[in-house]
Each structure stands twice: as structure tokens, then as C-alpha cells.
Amino acid sequence: MVAAHVAHDCLVGNNVILVNNATLGGHVIIEDFAIIGGLSAVHQFVRIGAHAMIGGASGVETDIIPFGSATGNRAVLQGLNLTGMKRRDFPREEIHALRNAYKMLFSGDETFQERAEMVAAEYPGSEVVKSVLAFINGETKRGFCQPE
């Protein structure tokens, strides 16, 4: 949309929406169907997963998992973009699997990687959970956005 800025060496997927004045630093990767709210700024080298939603006027310094919903001056993970999943007709079973996997992934005393391994063992047949885990296991230079 109006005055969106995409800096050098960015990769922007298909059906991505950059709302008015959204700004991407260099080397940002945004996967398909992500929505970046107006007046948001994404730090260089950040990855935004597929179907993620960034609220308006947010500063994104860390990677946002696929289907994640983040907002805030220094963005924090608020949950999942369930509305977007429903609008895109994701199966109900996949939505429920992802909700449960999200709870496992972001709570507990284990390390983040240990929790990711637990999620992989618990939901081996869920394609959306697999896509989140593949994103987590991919290369990151900024770490992952976490809930408060």
C-alpha cells in the first residue's frame, strides 16, 4: 500500500500485504500470505513466517513463526492468526493441532528446542505444525519472538 518500503535484498512471498508505511530493513524474508500492519518496522535479517500477522505500529526485532500474531512497540507474540486461518479455509483439525502445539511450544521448563522436539513427536501428521517446526529449525539471525 502507500509508502511501504522494501529495503535491499528482501524476499517477499506471494499474497503478502504491506499496509501503509510498513517498512522492511535489509535482508528481511516474508513468507506467503503474511500481513504487515501500517507504520510497522521490521528489523534487518528478520523472517516473518507464512500467514503471520503483524499489528500496526509494531517494531519487529525477532523472527515471527508461521501463523503467529505479533504486536507492540517491541513486538511480542500475542498468539496465532486464527482468523486468517479460518478465512483461508484451513481444516478445523489443523487449527486445533496448531493451537495445542503453540501452547506446548511456548510454555514449560524445557528449552525452546526441546519443546519443539516434543511438539514434533506429538503432532507428526499435522502439516501446519510441520511448517512451524521447519521454520523454527531454519536459519535465524535474530532469534524468535516469544509471548510475554
Side-chain angles (χ1 to χ4, degrees), residues 90-100 123 126 128-129:
F90 278 86
R92 186 179 199 96
E93 301 79 33
E94 288 284 1
I95 294 172
H96 287 298
L98 184 58
R99 288 176 72 187
N100 292 332
Y123 298 98
S126 171
V128 295
V129 173

Side-chain angles (χ1 to χ4, degrees), residues 6-12 24-30 42-48 63 141-142:
V6 179
H8 61 90
D9 301 306
C10 290
L11 297 175
V12 179
L24 307 182
H27 304 277
V28 168
I29 298 172
I30 301 183
V42 181
H43 195 283
Q44 66 181 358
F45 296 106
V46 165
R47 298 179 307 145
I48 307 289
D63 294 354
K141 294 182 180 181
R142 303 290 306 167

Side-chain angles (χ1 to χ4, degrees), residues 79-127:
L80 296 168
N81 182 12
L82 299 175
T83 301
M85 293 181 76
K86 291 174 186 172
R87 287 179 180 167
R88 291 187 195 99
D89 294 322
F90 278 86
R92 186 179 199 96
E93 301 79 33
E94 288 284 1
I95 294 172
H96 287 298
L98 184 58
R99 288 176 72 187
N100 292 332
Y102 177 88
K103 290 174 188 172
M104 285 179 67
L105 195 55
F106 293 105
S107 63
D109 295 328
E110 301 83 1
T111 67
F112 188 64
Q113 191 58 42
E114 289 172 340
R115 292 190 307 259
E117 291 168 5
M118 291 168 45
V119 168
E122 186 74 24
Y123 298 98
S126 171
E127 293 303 316

